Amino acid sequence: YQRRVHGGKKFLKFATGSDRVPIKGLASMRFVVGRNGDDSEMLPTSHTCFNHLLLPDYSTKERLRQKLMLAISNCTGFGLL
């Protein structure tokens, strides 16, 4: 359970810039996933101010998972507390 919660917080931090759920819940948040070019060595990116996740069109789900996990695990944001 803790692994899922921790992973969810890391994803939320990567995609939105905050690891906290909005006061009104996730359903109140507008979240957009968009395509960012063809399959490549690019990692997923996000526009945290707009809750917009950009994913290259990876050839397999496993490749998507690997690249997304790499991007999330190396996310540092702006370094603000």
Side-chain angles (χ1 to χ4, degrees), residues 3-29:
R3 182 180 288 169
R4 289 186 81 180
V5 169
H6 185 66
K9 285 184 141 208
K10 288 179 106 177
F11 174 77
L12 200 57
K13 174 84 173 172
F14 176 73
T16 68
S18 173
D19 65 351
R20 309 281 176 156
V21 174
I23 292 173
K24 294 182 181 180
L26 291 174
S28 68
M29 186 173 75

Side-chain angles (χ1 to χ4, degrees), residues 12-48:
L12 200 57
K13 174 84 173 172
F14 176 73
T16 68
S18 173
D19 65 351
R20 309 281 176 156
V21 174
I23 292 173
K24 294 182 181 180
L26 291 174
S28 68
M29 186 173 75
R30 183 172 183 260
F31 188 76
V32 177
V33 178
R35 188 179 299 174
N36 190 22
D38 296 327
D39 188 3
S40 69
E41 291 302 312
M42 287 180 44
L43 293 174
T45 56
S46 64
H47 297 285
T48 56

Side-chain angles (χ1 to χ4, degrees), residues 54-70:
L54 297 172
L55 301 172
D57 192 14
Y58 295 118
S59 56
T60 65
K61 287 183 182 181
E62 180 59 24
R63 185 164 168 85
L64 167 64
R65 188 190 69 74
Q66 289 173 347
K67 294 289 187 177
L68 188 57
M69 294 305 294
L70 181 61

